[in-house]
Amino acid sequence: MDKETIAHWQTTNTSLLVHAGIESARLDCLLLLQDELNKSKEWLLAHSEEIIPKPHLIELNKKIAQRAQRTPLAYVRNTQEFYGRKFYVDSNVLVPRPESEAMINLLISANKQKAITIIDIGTGSGCLAITAKLEFPRATVLATDTSEPAILVAKNNAAIHKADIQFEQTSLLP
């Protein structure tokens, strides 16, 4: 279909994702629309009869196909929120888990004034190391991973968040 409204695209693709077993189908479609059209949820709902421009429609259809194959939404969107911050993610790293935020809460329960050293082993996207550095600006933070692509993702996230972290590609196993 060359001309498709926001409402029609969302209805059609919510159904597609439901049939693929995606429990969060409606929300996933809405988030993909928000990302691609750079519009708020409120705007999308108020302008549901707007036609999706063809280049955006092509990208949305690529992304919905990935999601229908059960690719994690964070990988499809290339973003995941962690501790109120957005982090770039791709298939080279694990998707940051909300439960991991508890580690940051444990650090915060300590005295922020202390100069501490934090080592993040298996840093992946770098969300723990970066968040720790941002919450503890005086801390020295070392982030390690065996994967060069993961280190590159983490370095990119550190640059985005302006977090001064030392990175090292290494394995702690003999």
Side-chain angles (χ1 to χ4, degrees), residues 137-151:
R138 293 178 23 153
T140 301
V141 179
L142 169 64
T144 71
D145 206 295
T146 59
S147 164
E148 182 179 7
I151 290 287

Side-chain angles (χ1 to χ4, degrees), residues 82 87-89 93-94 96 120 122-133 141 143 145 150-151 153-155 157-158 161 163 165 167:
F82 184 85
F87 288 86
Y88 173 86
V89 294
V93 299
L94 295 175
D120 181 14
T123 196
S125 67
C127 65
L128 281 170
I130 293 164
T131 301
K133 179 63 178 179
V141 179
D145 206 295
I151 290 287
V153 168
K155 283 181 176 180
N157 281 323
H161 292 286
I165 294 172
F167 291 96

Side-chain angles (χ1 to χ4, degrees), residues 153-170:
V153 168
K155 283 181 176 180
N156 179 54
N157 281 323
I160 290 168
H161 292 286
K162 296 176 177 58
D164 183 24
I165 294 172
Q166 180 184 344
F167 291 96
E168 193 171 319
Q169 181 185 349
T170 187

Side-chain angles (χ1 to χ4, degrees), residues 13-28:
N13 289 292
T14 295
S15 178
L16 178 103
L17 293 183
V18 165
H19 284 84
I22 307 292
E23 291 182 19
S24 57
R26 181 167 163 67
L27 177 60
D28 290 8

Side-chain angles (χ1 to χ4, degrees), residues 27-159:
L27 177 60
D28 290 8
C29 286
L30 189 57
L31 289 170
L32 291 172
L33 281 164
Q34 283 180 259
D35 290 348
E36 186 60 35
L37 300 178
N38 198 26
K39 300 289 185 186
S40 70
K41 174 178 67 173
E42 294 78 16
W43 188 94
L44 292 169
L45 295 173
H47 296 87
S48 63
E49 294 309 312
E50 291 276 330
I51 301 293
I52 301 171
K54 188 167 185 167
H56 292 296
L57 187 58
I58 291 167
E59 282 303 307
L60 282 165
N61 290 338
K62 285 181 192 173
K63 291 177 179 181
I64 209 70
Q66 287 179 292
R67 188 65 183 118
Q69 292 296 315
R70 305 189 65 76
T71 300
L73 184 62
Y75 292 158
V76 175
R77 298 176 70 208
N78 290 121
T79 189
Q80 178 67 32
E81 190 170 302
F82 184 85
Y83 218 77
R85 298 176 178 97
K86 288 189 177 191
F87 288 86
Y88 173 86
V89 294
D90 63 24
S91 60
N92 291 304
V93 299
L94 295 175
V95 176
R97 310 259 323 149
E99 300 83 25
S100 299
E101 292 183 4
M103 288 189 238
I104 300 299
N105 291 333
L106 286 172
L107 281 173
I108 288 174
S109 68
N111 185 345
K112 281 189 175 187
Q113 302 307 313
K114 291 182 181 176
I116 59 173
T117 299
I118 299 168
I119 301 172
D120 181 14
I121 300 167
T123 196
S125 67
C127 65
L128 281 170
I130 293 164
T131 301
K133 179 63 178 179
L134 295 174
E135 296 297 320
F136 290 84
R138 293 178 23 153
T140 301
V141 179
L142 169 64
T144 71
D145 206 295
T146 59
S147 164
E148 182 179 7
I151 290 287
L152 292 174
V153 168
K155 283 181 176 180
N156 179 54
N157 281 323

